């Protein structure tokens, strides 16, 4: 999965003409990049899109690998109580595959909002698609997830 | 390996036990044990007009032992529909975007809980359980005493009685396949199709008790194959049948949640698809609305159910010989218990399962006293009353991988009412898609 995602990053990096800008909002048709768990909208994106995509892919890796440390790396503000919930969630699942279609990506003033449609396959069974919104912030070390909601 | 065993089991149920002959229906085995096709008491006595005396002995055992048929039918109406594998439900933790299994418990085995399987989810299960009945109303089925008295008993020759000791071997195997579909996130539709195999053997040893004819053994006697006469004779009647039982259709809805407490409502519709004359089905429609309360925590999941089953008319409750029908008794069903998630893939379940048969015909042991006022024999009679039949159940559900569950359960009697099996094992598999 890690190899698939890395290949996906490379493909996206090549495919997208990333244009830096102070504020970018993209609402576009979804294209299916089967090589990655994260599907980004087509169109011109800021260079930040690649980095945001990496964060989301790391999030997906953390969920699929049931890796709390990796989860904390992409969401450093994880509280102790949230970490406990994450451990319990990981423990209750045997296998999980996550697919995300990015519907909206907004980047402004070092903040980003990513709205996705997500579909998980848990223990071999598909869970119905559901929407999810990620709030990210750009910190000196890079983008991190600040908040996750519906 | 398990699949092979279950497949062999199902195949064996379908083909190994040939259906009873049309003229040898299992429901008629006991009524026909005595009479022209069974044991006959002979007599060489002459009536005053010179004609042969034909001895007529009657007993509640023969005339009223329909409780046995009804009790077997009642067991068949109590077909368990195992709780769908709703243990495999996951809830989203929106703050983390992570799924957590909503409960570690896989739920009860023979009881129910309010959880539904989930929208457009499917669960499939097969369960096998075998009843080998031991007692009826506390009376050992290996020795059911019954006294046959003469027509119009009177002091003298008509004071003779025939005492019998009856051994009844009855076993019922149920191989149930069920399919449960989540119509919506809160409504399940299920169908349970049982294959039933019933074996019944009745052995009776009858003895003429010469209370009034001790001086003349030719008045009442049994004649053996060689023509010799005697006081005692044994007779055996046996039969087996297999086939589809009564199909049950179920709708169950999770109607409300109050914190950890969930409330469910459901209705079971039993269709008389089983051949009641061969004791494969109840022979009557049945409708059972029920209420389920269950609570969910990480490891402990208590649950309780209560329902009322209306039953239609069945030949088994009437007269199988004459073919007349009577109402199969209604019953109140109830259960309560707890499922404990020992680990993430092992749940232990313990339940008390009961039903109150309303105005059912019940066997009552009694002592028969002959007309001489001195001689007594153990006997049975029947009364119409309402009683609770209470059982306990302990078992486990084990999740070896994916969404597969292996179920095992032991059902045992907690009181003596009804037709009882001391220990009824159940094994099964469930899979959630």
């Amino acid at each position: 999965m890690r190899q698939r995602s890395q290949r996906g990053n490379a493909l996206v990096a090549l495919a997208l003409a990333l244009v830096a800008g102070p504020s970018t909002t993209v609402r576009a048709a979804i294209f299916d990049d089967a090589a990655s768990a994260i599907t980004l909208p087509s169109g011109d994106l800021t260079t930040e899109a690649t980095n945001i995509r990496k964060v989301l892919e790391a999030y997906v890796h953390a969920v699929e690998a049931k890796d709390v440390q990796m989860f904390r790396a992409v969401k450093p503000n994880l509280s102790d109580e949230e970490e406990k919930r994450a451990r319990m969630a990981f423990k209750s699942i045997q296998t999980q595959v996550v697919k995300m279609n990015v519907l909206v990506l907004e980047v402004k003033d070092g903040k980003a909002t990513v709205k996705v449609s997500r579909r998980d396959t848990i223990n071999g069974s598909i869970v119905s698609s559901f929407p999810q919104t990620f709030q990210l912030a750009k910190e000196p070390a890079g983008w991190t997830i600040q908040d996750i909601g519906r | 390996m398990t699949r092979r065993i279950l497949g062999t089991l199902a195949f064996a149920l379908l083909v190994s036990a040939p259906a009873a002959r049309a003229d040898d229906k299992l429901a008629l085995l006991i009524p026909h044990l005595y009479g022209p096709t069974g044991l006959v008491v002979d007599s060489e006595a002459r009536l005053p007009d010179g004609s042969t005396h034909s001895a007529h002995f009657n007993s509640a055992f023969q005339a009223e032992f329909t409780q046995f048929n009804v009790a077997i039918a009642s067991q068949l109406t109590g077909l368990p529909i195992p709780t769908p594998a709703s243990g495999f439900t996951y809830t989203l933790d929106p703050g983390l975007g992570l799924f957590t299994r909503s409960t570690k418990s896989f739920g009860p085995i023979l009881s129910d809980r309010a959880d539904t399987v989930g929208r457009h989810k499917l669960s499939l299960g097969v369960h096998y359980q075998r009843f080998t009945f031991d007692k009826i109303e506390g009376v050992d089925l290996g020795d059911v005493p019954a006294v046959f008295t003469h027509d119009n008993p009177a002091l003298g020759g008509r004071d003779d009685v025939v005492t019998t000791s009856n051994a009844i071997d009855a076993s019922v195997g149920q191989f149930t396949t069920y399919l449960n579909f989540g119509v919506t996130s809160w409504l399940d539709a299920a169908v349970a199709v049982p294959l039933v195999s019933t074996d019944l053997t009745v052995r009776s040893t009858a003895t003429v008790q010469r209370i009034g004819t001790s001086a003349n053994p030719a008045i009442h006697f049994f004649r053996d194959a060689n023509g010799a006469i005697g006081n005692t004779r044994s007779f055996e009647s046996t039969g087996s049948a297999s086939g589809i039982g009564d199909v049950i259709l179920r709708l169950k809805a999770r109607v409300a949640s109050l914190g950890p407490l969930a409330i469910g409502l459901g209705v079971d519709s039993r269709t008389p698809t089983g051949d009641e004359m061969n004791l494969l089905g109840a022979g009557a429609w049945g409708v059972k609305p029920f209420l389920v309360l269950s609570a969910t925590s990480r490891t402990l999941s208590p649950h309780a159910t209560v329902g009322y089953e209306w039953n239609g008319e069945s030949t088994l409750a009437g007269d199988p010989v004459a073919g007349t029908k009577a109402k199969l008794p209604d019953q109140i069903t109830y259960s309560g218990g707890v499922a404990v998630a020992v680990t993430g893939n092992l749940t232990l379940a313990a339940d008390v399962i009961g039903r109150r048969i309303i105005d059912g015909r019940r066997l009552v042991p009694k002592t028969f006293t002959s007309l001489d006022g001195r001689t007594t024999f153990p006997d049975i009679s029947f009364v119409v009353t309402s009683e609770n039949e209470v059982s306990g159940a302990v078992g486990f559900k084990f999740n070896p991988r994916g969404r597969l569950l292996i179920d095992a359960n032991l059902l045992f009697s907690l009181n003596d009412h009804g037709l009882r099996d001391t220990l009824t094992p159940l094994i099964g598999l469930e899979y959630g898609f």
Side-chain angles (χ1 to χ4, degrees):
Chain A
M1 184 57 71
R2 192 183 299 270
Q3 288 174 339
R4 278 172 48 187
S5 297
Q6 285 170 346
R7 192 169 73 245
N9 281 341
L11 285 171
V12 170
L14 287 171
L16 299 177
L18 299 173
V19 180
S23 175
T24 303
T25 300
V26 177
R27 296 174 190 273
I30 297 163
F31 72 88
D32 186 15
D33 179 1
S36 173
I38 312 294
T39 305
L40 280 168
S42 60
D44 292 339
L45 298 173
T46 68
T47 51
E48 303 292 7
T50 302
N51 296 327
I52 290 170
R53 177 173 186 152
K54 285 179 180 173
V55 172
L56 292 180
E57 287 190 329
Y59 170 82
V60 170
H61 287 321
V63 173
E64 291 180 340
K66 301 188 286 185
D67 187 330
V68 176
Q69 296 309 316
M70 195 186 299
F71 196 92
R72 180 178 283 284
V74 294
K75 192 176 186 306
N77 62 356
L78 198 68
S79 68
D80 291 344
E81 196 276 334
E82 286 177 324
E83 182 177 327
K84 188 178 172 186
R85 275 160 40 204
R87 287 187 189 280
M88 285 177 63
F90 290 154
K91 199 175 174 184
S92 74
I93 284 170
Q94 290 170 317
T95 64
Q96 185 166 3
V97 178
V98 179
K99 286 285 184 186
M100 282 183 186
N101 283 337
V102 177
L103 304 175
V104 176
L105 172 58
E106 294 176 346
V107 182
K108 186 177 183 182
D109 300 333
K111 305 282 185 186
T113 299
V114 186
K115 294 184 178 178
V116 305
S117 172
R118 177 172 157 182
R119 191 183 69 179
D120 288 23
T121 303
I122 297 173
N123 298 345
S125 289
I126 294 172
V127 175
S128 300
S129 296
F130 60 94
Q132 202 172 19
T133 302
F134 293 89
Q135 303 290 345
L136 293 90
K138 189 173 185 181
E139 295 175 343
W143 288 95
T144 58
I145 297 171
Q146 299 296 305
D147 186 66
I148 303 171
R150 296 299 294 267
Chain B
M1 177 60 77
T2 307
R3 191 169 50 189
R4 186 181 303 169
I5 291 169
L6 285 172
T8 306
L9 243 168
F11 182 76
L13 265 170
L14 282 171
V15 303
S16 69
R21 297 196 315 271
D23 59 346
D24 192 22
K25 298 285 190 181
L26 298 190
L28 300 176
L29 228 60
I30 290 173
H32 283 173
L33 189 60
Y34 297 95
T37 58
L39 259 179
V40 177
V41 180
D42 280 331
S43 175
E44 291 186 347
R46 295 279 170 175
L47 296 175
D49 62 1
S51 63
T52 305
H53 165 63
S54 177
H56 294 287
F57 285 83
N58 303 295
S59 163
F61 177 76
Q62 187 168 17
E64 300 182 58
F65 207 65
T66 52
Q67 185 202 355
F68 185 79
N69 287 341
V70 173
I72 283 196
S74 188
Q75 288 291 338
L76 298 173
T77 64
L79 238 180
I81 299 184
T83 304
S86 46
F88 296 113
T89 54
Y90 298 89
T91 52
L92 178 68
D93 182 337
L96 298 173
L98 299 177
F99 282 94
T100 307
R101 223 168 82 191
S102 52
T103 169
K104 285 170 68 179
S105 160
F106 296 118
I109 298 171
L110 295 180
S111 184
D112 209 336
R113 61 181 182 181
D115 297 77
T116 50
V117 73
R119 182 174 176 267
H120 294 174
K121 295 292 169 60
L122 193 69
S123 64
L124 176 70
V126 289
H127 280 81
Y128 178 76
Q129 61 180 344
R130 183 166 184 81
F131 298 90
T132 50
F133 299 108
D134 306 301
K135 291 182 177 180
I136 185 164
E137 302 298 336
V139 175
D140 182 2
L141 279 177
D143 183 15
V144 180
V147 176
F148 285 62
T149 57
H150 202 289
D151 275 352
N152 305 315
L155 285 170
R158 290 176 184 271
D159 195 9
D160 280 359
V161 297
V162 178
T163 56
T164 64
S165 171
N166 304 279
I168 301 169
D169 291 336
S171 61
V172 173
Q174 285 178 333
F175 185 88
T176 307
T177 302
Y178 76 91
L179 197 65
N180 189 75
F181 180 69
V183 181
T184 68
S185 61
W186 52 270
L187 178 67
D188 281 1
V191 58
V193 181
L195 294 175
V196 180
S197 171
T198 303
D199 297 289
L200 184 61
T201 298
V202 187
R203 298 180 194 87
S204 185
T205 300
T207 304
V208 177
Q209 304 291 343
R210 303 191 177 286
I211 300 169
T213 62
S214 56
N216 185 359
I219 293 179
H220 296 130
F221 62 87
F222 292 111
R223 192 185 300 279
D224 65 20
N226 299 321
I229 64 174
N231 287 344
T232 301
R233 191 174 171 195
S234 295
F235 188 80
E236 178 177 313
S237 189
T238 188
S240 62
S242 58
I244 191 168
D246 289 347
V247 172
I248 294 180
L249 306 171
R250 165 174 287 191
L251 283 176
K252 189 181 84 173
R254 179 181 169 126
V255 294
S257 296
L258 304 167
L261 180 70
I263 302 169
L265 286 175
V267 62
D268 284 349
S269 298
R270 191 189 67 247
T271 59
T273 47
D275 177 4
E276 76 272 26
M277 290 301 287
N278 269 323
L279 304 179
L280 300 177
W285 288 88
V287 178
K288 185 178 79 174
F290 59 92
L291 169 72
V292 189
L293 300 175
S294 60
T296 299
S297 70
R298 287 295 300 166
T299 56
L300 206 66
S301 301
H303 51 265
T305 69
V306 62
Y308 188 94
E309 182 177 293
W310 280 278
N311 288 309
E313 291 191 334
S314 167
T315 309
L316 295 181
D319 184 346
V321 178
T324 55
K325 292 186 174 184
K327 192 175 185 318
L328 202 63
D330 293 346
Q331 50 183 288
I332 299 167
T333 61
Y334 50 90
S335 67
V338 65
V340 183
V342 180
T343 66
N345 57 4
L346 178 66
T347 294
L348 300 182
D351 283 286
V352 172
I353 299 167
R355 56 184 177 173
R356 183 170 182 81
I357 310 280
I358 300 168
D359 294 336
R361 188 178 290 170
R362 301 270 172 187
L363 180 151
V364 179
K366 71 166 191 176
T367 298
F368 172 85
T369 303
S370 69
L371 290 178
D372 67 6
R374 301 186 306 272
T375 314
T376 60
F377 301 102
D379 194 12
I380 53 170
S381 64
F382 292 87
V383 296
V384 173
T385 184
S386 302
E387 295 286 0
N388 287 294
E389 299 176 9
V390 187
S391 301
V394 291
F396 67 81
K397 290 188 173 188
F398 176 63
N399 172 221
R401 58 180 299 176
R403 290 179 163 232
L404 178 68
L405 286 179
I406 298 172
D407 301 347
N409 188 75
L410 287 175
L411 183 71
F412 50 91
S413 308
L414 290 179
N415 69 4
D416 276 339
H417 290 301
L419 178 65
R420 307 311 291 263
D421 181 13
T422 304
L423 206 59
T424 305
L426 175 149
I427 56 169
L429 295 174
E430 299 178 52
Y431 193 83
F433 295 92

